[in-house]
Amino acid sequence: EVQLVESGGGLVQPGGSLRLSCAASGFTFSDYAMHWVRQAPGKGLEHVSAINNNGGSTYYANSVKGRFTISRDNSKNTLFLQMGSLRAEDMAVYYCASSRVRGVTPNWFDPWGQGTLVTVSS
Amino acid sequence: DIQMTQSPSSLSASVGDRVTITCRASQSISSYLNWYQQKPGKAPNLLIYAASSLRSGVPSRFSGSGSGTDFTLTINSLQPEDFATYYCQQSYSTPVTFGQGTRLEIK
């Protein structure tokens, strides 16, 4: 069964840092690009970051560029998102997803993880 | 960035109804349009990719059509499990962008 499981969310103060993880199973993780998509409470979906299959190419939305870093460990089938200088507007459920292509070129997202909630508040 | 606009933002329908949701792109995106279903507290799930291709395992009552700037998602014979929020997403160019969502409620 193809599965993505996020972890690492929680409460963090404005200006703080947090590291999200996404553990993949059921497919050849190293073959595919991976993504983080977030959803603020009661709001729509925003594509935040992407990384190609071997980690050599990345993408960041303007809203997080310079503050977030995406990475992956193909030996452990795990995707990461290091988030820094967190702001109230970063508060959201963060989903990891695969795009089933190797590069960070736009594509559909399938499958998705169940999401992890990041709360930014003092 | 390409703006995606869905209509309506919400609609009420009954079990057995046929419903259509529209998604309009701010510029031509060929057939690079995907549809997702999201239930409360759950992750989105892919329904339709490349405008009209049904993801494996998705019931055939779901269908998609369109190209260029105008697209539709049609659900035939609504079932109780179909009441959810639906999102379109363009994968024509970076950044990928989503519509604001259409909430489908039980009448």
Side-chain angles (χ1 to χ4, degrees):
Chain A
E1 178 191 6
V2 175
Q3 195 170 18
L4 297 171
V5 179
E6 301 95 335
S7 60
L11 175 64
V12 60
Q13 293 186 340
S17 299
L18 208 57
R19 189 194 200 200
L20 307 183
S21 300
C22 170
S25 59
F27 66 104
T28 306
F29 181 72
S30 60
D31 278 354
Y32 301 114
M34 294 295 296
H35 304 257
W36 290 98
V37 178
R38 70 183 179 184
Q39 187 171 36
K43 302 297 184 181
L45 299 162
E46 180 189 13
H47 184 227
V48 171
S49 186
I51 187 167
N52 73 337
N53 69 307
N54 63 19
S57 181
T58 58
Y59 160 83
Y60 299 96
N62 287 337
S63 57
V64 306
K65 197 173 296 183
R67 300 187 298 121
F68 290 11
T69 301
I70 191 171
S71 62
R72 64 191 296 161
D73 184 341
N74 285 345
S75 68
K76 296 182 178 179
N77 292 344
T78 305
L79 174 73
F80 302 101
L81 186 68
Q82 179 68 48
M83 304 186 295
S85 302
L86 282 162
R87 308 166 178 168
E89 55 265 35
D90 295 319
M91 185 163 69
V93 174
Y94 285 73
Y95 298 101
C96 65
S98 173
S99 58
R100 297 305 191 129
V101 294
R102 290 181 179 268
V104 295
T105 51
N107 203 32
W108 56 85
F109 301 118
D110 182 47
W112 298 60
Q114 86 288 350
T116 188
L117 176 62
V118 173
T119 302
V120 183
S121 175
S122 54
Chain B
D1 299 3
I2 298 175
Q3 305 302 315
M4 306 301 295
T5 304
Q6 291 181 230
S7 60
S9 295
S10 65
L11 75 155
S12 297
S14 300
V15 172
D17 284 353
R18 178 176 185 263
V19 300
T20 297
I21 298 170
T22 297
C23 180
R24 175 165 289 176
S26 59
Q27 65 182 75
S28 178
I29 57 171
S30 184
S31 296
Y32 292 90
L33 192 282
N34 314 300
W35 290 98
Y36 301 86
Q37 177 193 68
Q38 185 178 34
K39 296 182 179 180
K42 301 295 186 181
N45 286 312
L46 179 69
L47 295 174
I48 302 283
Y49 61 95
S52 61
S53 295
L54 190 69
R55 184 199 185 274
S56 175
V58 173
S60 59
R61 62 181 179 273
F62 291 91
S63 63
S65 65
S67 66
T69 60
D70 295 317
F71 302 86
T72 59
L73 172 69
T74 300
I75 312 172
N76 288 303
S77 188
L78 271 174
Q79 298 301 299
E81 59 268 28
D82 300 337
F83 292 94
T85 299
Y86 293 86
Y87 292 93
C88 62
Q89 174 233 337
Q90 65 82 14
S91 51
Y92 178 80
S93 66
T94 299
V96 300
T97 45
F98 293 86
Q100 82 280 12
T102 295
R103 185 175 178 182
L104 177 55
E105 300 174 319
I106 300 174
K107 184 180 288 184

